[in-house]
Amino acid sequence: MIKNVKKTVRAMPIIALSVVSSVALLTACQGQTETKQSSASQPSLAGKRIPGSVIDLSQWKITLPMDSNRDGKIDEVGPPHIDRLLEPRFFYATDAGVVFAAPNKAVTTSGSTNTRSELRQMIDAKGSTKAPGNNFALAAHPKASRYGSIGGKLSATLAVNHVAVEAKNPNKKPAFSVVVGQIHAGKDSKMAKGFGYGNEPLKIYYKKWPDHEYGSVFWTYERNLEQDDPNRTDIAFPVWGNVWDNPEDPGEAGLKLDETFSYVVDVDGSVMNLTFTGEGKQTIEYSVDLSNNVDPYGKVDELDNPKGYSGDWFYFKAGAYNQCSSKDQEGMWYAGCAGTGLWEKDSQAGHYAQATFRSITLN
């Protein structure tokens, strides 16, 4: 049974991130205890509270789909300020759990065309994100002892509430989907040749086509190859329902919006163990050694890196990473999903992704 880790926050000022009359309010993170907004621009706070009062955020940094201080960079808030952060559009808590929302069109990180309201693991809350002590490695890593841990475990219970409903290129794999959990490998030019590409050995997806009652849960593994290598691709493995290139309605084999499910990602030594559970659903488990090129079915993938991810460093991510890019261009990732960039309009039109987490636990 997955238990929610709760952290009581009392008499703490709320940090709110919003733009009012083109004035940035991110300075709240530097000591401002309250932000005032015009009635025309202030999202409702009714029934919303600080996520840090529900989930232990002491080892997480959040990335939000906004640039509140207009510095040309996406907003990120880490410990200790994240404990009292409340963003009433994209990151807040309700009786159901902690809500993460990401519109189709908004500010993105430099390496992505997709928006996110997503947590990034911080093993050492005071360290830089690339510091070895702030990340974990596989036991097979030749310098594993330098890192914050060898392996690690992420558990979560959640429900996906919404995915994008309109795409110019609906047959592109990521359309109408959201990633709710990840293991991301670090990108570092100083790494030995063959590693440090910034690839993702794990992304957990939920995808639902607009005319379907049920969606599908699946996960992907990205071959650890250079960016311009034609064999660098994400390989999908089913959990409930279909994988991302199947337009058929999964029916009751899949999962409806707002249905709760859980995942556990346990990297033990060099082996990634995945467990998916849901009420009325068959428990699905996978195991794959991330230090070689043998897939979860025991077959050698001749196109993958023979050493897998054994030379990389990693961090967990959890939240809502909207996969329905609003960009329309060549490449599988650009579904051309609808969006104006105005949250008030886009949320009403369904041009966003959202997930509510009852628990997120790091071990």
Side-chain angles (χ1 to χ4, degrees), residues 57 64 77 163 166 204 267 272 275 319:
L57 298 173
L64 294 168
V77 181
V163 291
E166 185 178 346
I204 299 171
V267 181
M272 178 176 71
T275 305

Side-chain angles (χ1 to χ4, degrees), residues 46 93 118 141 152 263 310:
E118 189 179 36
H141 194 292
Y263 64 75
S310 59

Side-chain angles (χ1 to χ4, degrees), residues 318-341:
Y321 182 20
N322 190 348
Q323 296 298 288
C324 206
S325 172
S326 61
K327 288 194 174 183
D328 175 22
Q329 59 189 56
E330 293 296 323
M332 66 165 280
W333 297 106
Y334 310 115
C337 293
T340 66

Side-chain angles (χ1 to χ4, degrees), residues 23-294:
V23 178
L25 298 177
L26 189 57
T27 52
C29 294
Q30 300 166 344
Q32 182 176 329
T33 59
E34 185 177 357
T35 59
K36 296 181 180 180
Q37 304 181 45
S38 67
S39 59
S41 63
Q42 181 173 348
S44 173
L45 290 172
K48 299 177 181 179
R49 59 183 186 270
I50 302 171
S53 67
V54 177
I55 288 176
D56 182 0
L57 298 173
S58 60
Q59 288 189 298
W60 294 103
K61 176 185 74 172
I62 192 163
T63 302
L64 294 168
M66 54 193 293
D67 177 12
S68 63
N69 62 351
R70 305 281 179 99
D71 66 351
K73 300 178 182 179
I74 198 166
D75 286 345
E76 295 186 323
V77 181
H81 305 300
I82 190 173
D83 282 339
R84 53 195 175 97
L85 174 66
L86 167 61
E87 209 308 311
R89 296 163 297 178
F90 309 128
F91 181 59
Y92 57 90
T94 69
D95 290 342
V98 176
V99 177
F100 298 80
N104 291 355
K105 188 172 184 179
V107 180
T108 66
T109 56
S110 59
S112 177
T113 65
N114 301 87
T115 70
R116 70 183 81 207
S117 177
E118 189 179 36
L119 297 170
R120 191 263 196 222
Q121 181 187 21
M122 301 283 285
I123 295 176
D124 177 6
K126 297 180 180 180
S128 69
T129 55
K130 285 191 175 182
N134 218 352
N135 299 280
F136 69 89
L138 303 179
H141 194 292
K143 297 182 178 180
S145 61
R146 295 179 58 222
Y147 291 87
S149 70
I150 297 175
K153 186 176 181 180
L154 168 65
S155 305
T157 297
L158 71 142
V160 174
N161 314 120
H162 191 84
V163 291
V165 296
E166 185 178 346
K168 184 176 180 180
N169 307 307
N171 292 321
K172 289 191 175 181
K173 294 178 180 179
F176 319 123
S177 69
V178 62
V179 169
V180 294
Q182 296 190 62
I183 296 178
H184 204 297
K187 186 175 184 179
D188 190 343
S189 61
K190 296 180 181 180
M191 295 288 288
K193 184 178 180 181
F195 299 101
Y197 299 133
N199 297 337
E200 294 145 334
L202 173 69
K203 290 200 292 281
I204 299 171
Y205 279 82
Y206 177 90
K207 176 171 180 174
K208 189 185 82 69
W209 289 69
D211 57 341
H212 293 172
E213 182 180 3
Y214 290 84
S216 298
V217 176
F218 55 92
W219 66 277
T220 61
Y221 168 89
E222 184 176 24
R223 291 185 180 129
N224 198 20
L225 305 171
E226 294 184 78
Q227 186 171 3
D228 58 356
D229 191 316
N231 293 317
R232 176 185 171 181
T233 188
D234 291 68
I235 303 167
F237 299 91
V239 177
W240 301 301
N242 305 319
V243 291
W244 55 2
D245 57 351
N246 187 342
E248 298 297 319
D249 189 335
E252 293 185 359
L255 205 71
K256 292 182 179 180
L257 291 171
D258 298 320
E259 280 196 76
T260 299
F261 69 98
S262 298
Y263 64 75
V264 177
V265 182
D266 186 3
V267 181
D268 183 7
S270 296
V271 177
M272 178 176 71
N273 301 298
L274 304 176
T275 305
F276 298 88
T277 56
E279 185 175 354
K281 296 293 181 185
Q282 179 183 0
T283 297
I284 303 297
E285 297 179 323
Y286 286 93
S287 290
V288 56
D289 191 331
L290 296 179
S291 66
N292 58 36
N293 59 342
V294 179

